[in-house]
């Protein structure tokens, strides 16, 4: 059955065109998206569509143009807005209602009331968002093309999120995308996985540039843009003037400053790792994990990628730590009753069970296993670190994040969104609420590389004891305090500037950020002019308001909170700044459209393109993925839910015959390899050839381990991020063996394997 904006005869309301403009200012962005529709039916419609938003984004403006008349929405308390919308429809007026999902802040629903027959409508959204920092120091903007079906646990109310499912309807609409980038530091390049027109610099110092998506993009996957600036670790501050029409002293009337804090980690810190910790791996085993990672020819199922990644993680853990593995779906199970010490025996038990993992546990109820984990007593001197893998298809995101935040003092969470469409609110929220780190694995990206990067964060020292010293300004802080930052993480600090000194033309401000990294005290300082930046569309004011609104909304969930007072403050700030919240909605009514409605309004759901990730096994579809244009997502379907009802588990398959993975699987928990025929096969040799070349006074396991290190450095150096911890364990083990003729071993090993690896490169 088709879905989307459908008539009672399953006929869709056509989406004709999407036009998107990105305005990037340093580390933040304003996005304007216009969608053009036509009602080709003979009766008025009430159109409904659901769309995804980046986590941390907030809608700040919404308007609609029908024929030649434009109406602009205003922010009202949510229930009042709903009542006004219903009253408008019953009076024959055109009306629009835009509201945030009550289950997840990254999903919005728009209701378009009384679209006349044969009439076109252009709907425009403007939203603001912070740009995500990537491992190579670029800033990532993502225009989501996919919003997966969300699983709503039994006993919870069905809302906006639960309406989202798949559609197979083909939609012939077009997309245009343009980005304008400006930064305090020069822009070095802009990249994308999608074809771009050449980058055009707009000034001589390269602090402004423009780029567009090539014509003809089909929007079958996310549009990702990567912005590169010079001196990315430099502390920067941007001041934005208040709105001329706003009351001085109010949030929108005073200047607001945004400070970007992105600390640099010295190599000495990067190379140090801890051997302590309790590592709890929480794996999504719902039916949707049998979907494909992408639609390319070499795509793997999500659960298969997860199995390989878990194997690599198990081999990379340090001796002396503790670990456990949970699988969850409609229910949950753990490998061990409680976390066990890492040893050869416990590692082998876990590896065997990992190879048997299937996507066979129904729905996606992540709250229960988290609550169970938090009830387990912590192990002294072993900080608890959760690694959560999920395709993010849950309907009770806010409940999950509240649970994580309530236990934030006892753990850190490293979260991984698997596949297109994972909920950014869930994945980033898990990390943000526990001072952890989040990653998204999409398209052909290797899950192993990103997960091992996060393991390094978990084992390395982090920036702690962060304090700020402001000079020359009076201010009110809008963003929450920064507790912890890992390597590669950035924090944005928002503050409302007050006082008469802001009015002086030559006024200066200064902020010093002090922090502790390993055993060193570090301080970064930036001087900035209080003269505001040129017209920036109030993006910084609105992001500051959004930050404060999210903090107030979190405070509402705490026991003993004055919920009514907090709600009133959220509503006031939301209406003043025009930024969406959980307690407000955008409402627009076209007063001049009053027409008698003949017959009932027909509700339609906007259809969107379909990404089919189906593997046919025994004539059964093993998984369905739904693609959605950024602002347009289907909201109904009756295909078998990939998270329940049917056993959609893949056949258990052995890991692919990848030599690197074969080598990984053969390493012992201590870090060594033993001499055996399967190891020789990885090297393209026979066991006899390896044994015949053993230098004198060298034990077979030492020789095997040295050969493994030479092979890794000689043939797999491009994947070093994946095997770095395996190598560190191997080097540490070799040092305990007191090898007397190490240089001779490396020379013979190079000759045997056909490599030219230098001894000092091995770190032994």
């Amino acid at each position: 059955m088709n879905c989307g904006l459908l008539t009672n005869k399953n006929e869709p309301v056509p989406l004709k065109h999407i036009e998107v403009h990105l305005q990037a200012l340093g580390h933040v962005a304003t996005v304007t998206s216009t969608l053009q529709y036509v009602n080709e039916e003979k009766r008025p419609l009430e159109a409904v569509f659901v769309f995804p938003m980046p986590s941390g984004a907030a809608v700040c403006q919404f308007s609609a143009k029908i024929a030649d008349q434009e109406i602009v929405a205003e922010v009202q308390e949510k229930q009042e807005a709903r009542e006004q919308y219903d009253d408008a429809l019953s009076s024959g007026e055109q009306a629009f209602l835009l509201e945030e999902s009550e289950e997840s802040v990254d999903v919005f629903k728009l209701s378009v009331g009384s679209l006349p027959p044969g009439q076109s409508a252009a709907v425009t959204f403007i939203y603001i968002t912070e740009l995500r920092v990537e491992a190579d120091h670029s800033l990532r903007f993502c225009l989501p093309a996919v919003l997966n079906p969300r699983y709503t646990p039994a006993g919870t109310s069905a809302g906006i999120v639960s309406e989202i499912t798949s559609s197979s309807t083909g939609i012939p609409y077009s997309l245009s995308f343009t980005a304008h980038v400006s930064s305090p530091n020069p822009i070095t390049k802009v990249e994308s996985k999608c074809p771009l027109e050449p980058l055009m610099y707009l000034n001589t110092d390269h602090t402004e540039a423009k780029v567009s998506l090539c014509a003809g993009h089909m929007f079958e996957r996310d549009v990702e843009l990567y912005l590169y600036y010079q001196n990315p670790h430099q502390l920067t501050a941007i001041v934005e003037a208040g709105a001329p029409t706003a009351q001085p002293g109010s949030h929108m009337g005073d200047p607001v400053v945004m400070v970007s804090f992105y600390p640099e980690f010295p190599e000495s810190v990067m190379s140090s790792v801890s051997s302590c910790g309790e590592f709890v791996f929480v794996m999504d085993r719902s039916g949707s994990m049998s979907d494909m990672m992408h639609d390319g020819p070499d795509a793997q199922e999500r659960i298969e990628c997860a199995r390989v990644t878990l194997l690599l993680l198990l081999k990379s853990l340090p001796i002396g730590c503790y670990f456990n593995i949970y699988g969850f779906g409609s229910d949950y199970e753990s490998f061990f009753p409680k976390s066990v010490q890492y040893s050869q025996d416990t590692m082998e038990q876990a590896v065997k069970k990992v190879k048997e993992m299937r996507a066979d546990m129904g729905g996606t109820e992540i709250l229960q296993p988290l609550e169970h984990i938090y009830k387990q007593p912590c192990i002294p001197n072993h900080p608890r670190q959760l690694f959560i893998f999920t395709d993010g298809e849950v309907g009770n995101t806010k409940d999950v994040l509240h649970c994580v935040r309530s236990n934030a003092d006892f753990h850190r969470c490293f979260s991984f969104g698997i596949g297109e469409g994972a909920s950014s609110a869930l994945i980033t929220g898990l990390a943000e609420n526990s001072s952890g780190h989040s990653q998204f694995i999409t398209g052909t990206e290797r899950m192993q590389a990103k997960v091992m990067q996060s393991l390094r964060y978990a084992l390395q020292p982090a920036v702690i004891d962060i304090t700020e010293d402001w000079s020359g300004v009076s201010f009110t802080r809008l963003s929450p305090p920064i507790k912890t930052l890992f390597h590669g993480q950035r924090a944005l600090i928002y503050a409302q500037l007050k006082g008469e000194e802001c009015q002086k033309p030559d006024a200066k401000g200064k902020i010093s950020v002090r922090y502790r990294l390993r055993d060193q005290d570090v301080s970064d300082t930036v001087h900035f002019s209080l003269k505001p930046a040129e017209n920036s569309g109030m993006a910084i004011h609105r992001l500051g308001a959004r930050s404060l609104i999210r903090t107030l909304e979190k405070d509402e969930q705490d026991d003993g909170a004055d919920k009514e007072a907090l709600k009133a403050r959220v509503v006031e700030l939301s209406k003043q700044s025009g930024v969406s919240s959980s307690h407000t909605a955008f409402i627009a009514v076209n007063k001049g459209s009053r027409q008698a409605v003949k017959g009932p309004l027909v509700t339609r759901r906007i259809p969107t393109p379909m990404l089919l990730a189906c593997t046919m096994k025994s004539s059964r579809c093993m998984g369905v993925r739904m693609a959605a244009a950024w602002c347009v997502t289907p909201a109904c379907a009756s295909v078998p839910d990939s998270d329940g009802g049917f056993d959609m588990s893949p056949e258990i398959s052995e890991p692919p015959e990848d030599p690197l993975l074969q080598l990984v699987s053969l390493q012992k928990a201590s870090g060594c390899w033993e001499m055996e025929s399967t190891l020789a096969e990885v090297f393209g040799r026979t066991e006899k050839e390896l044994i015949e070349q053993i230098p004198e006074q060298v034990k077979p396991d030492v020789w095997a381990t040295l050969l493994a290190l030479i092979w890794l450095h000689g043939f797999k150096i491009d994947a070093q991020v994946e095997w770095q911890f395996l190598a560190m364990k191997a080097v540490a083990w070799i040092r305990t063996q007191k090898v007397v003729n190490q240089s001779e071993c490396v020379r013979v090993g190079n000759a045997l394997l056909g490599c030219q690896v230098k001894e000092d490169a091995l770190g032994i």
Side-chain angles (χ1 to χ4, degrees), residues 510-524:
K510 182 182 79 169
I511 178 173
S512 296
V513 181
R514 296 185 175 87
Y515 57 93
R516 192 164 184 79
L517 179 57
R518 209 173 181 183
D519 297 324
Q520 295 184 341
D521 292 319
V522 186
S523 178
D524 286 341

Side-chain angles (χ1 to χ4, degrees), residues 2-8 10-12 602-606 636:
N2 290 337
C3 69
L5 188 62
L6 301 177
T7 70
N8 51 8
N10 286 343
E11 297 170 348
V602 182
T603 299
R604 303 285 185 271
R605 303 206 179 278
I606 304 296
C636 67

Side-chain angles (χ1 to χ4, degrees), residues 739-758:
V739 184
V740 293
N741 53 346
Q742 195 166 274
S743 298
E744 174 69 5
C745 289
V746 174
R747 185 189 68 78
V748 176
N750 271 317
L752 179 62
L753 300 180
C755 299
Q756 295 181 334
V757 179
K758 295 182 179 180

Side-chain angles (χ1 to χ4, degrees), residues 665-676:
S665 67
L666 295 173
Q667 190 183 33
K668 303 299 179 182
S670 63
C672 75
W673 278 267
E674 293 181 348
M675 185 64 67
E676 53 185 305

Side-chain angles (χ1 to χ4, degrees), residues 82-117:
R82 287 173 175 171
E83 292 173 359
Q84 187 174 343
Y85 176 78
D86 291 339
D87 291 344
L89 293 193
S90 63
S91 301
E93 295 172 329
Q94 292 167 342
F96 300 81
L97 179 69
L98 176 67
E99 54 186 313
E100 178 183 297
S101 163
E102 294 181 0
E103 303 101 344
S104 183
V105 296
D106 67 340
V107 179
F108 278 73
K109 176 181 180 180
L110 173 67
S111 301
V112 181
S114 193
L115 183 60

Side-chain angles (χ1 to χ4, degrees), residues 521-540:
D521 292 319
V522 186
S523 178
D524 286 341
T525 300
V526 61
H527 298 263
F528 55 93
S529 169
L530 294 183
K531 181 183 178 182
E534 295 180 8
N535 181 24
S536 54
M538 306 304 291
I540 294 175

Side-chain angles (χ1 to χ4, degrees), residues 64 192 430 466 474 495 535 598 622 630 672 685 710 738 753:
S192 176
L430 288 168
I466 304 167
S474 301
N535 181 24
K598 298 179 181 179
M622 302 301 294
W630 170 74
C672 75
R685 299 288 186 270
I710 293 170
K738 298 181 173 61
L753 300 180

Side-chain angles (χ1 to χ4, degrees), residues 613-629:
C614 293
T615 302
M616 302 307 294
K617 295 182 179 178
S618 304
S619 300
R620 290 195 312 181
C621 179
M622 302 301 294
V624 179
R625 263 199 316 172
M626 179 280 292

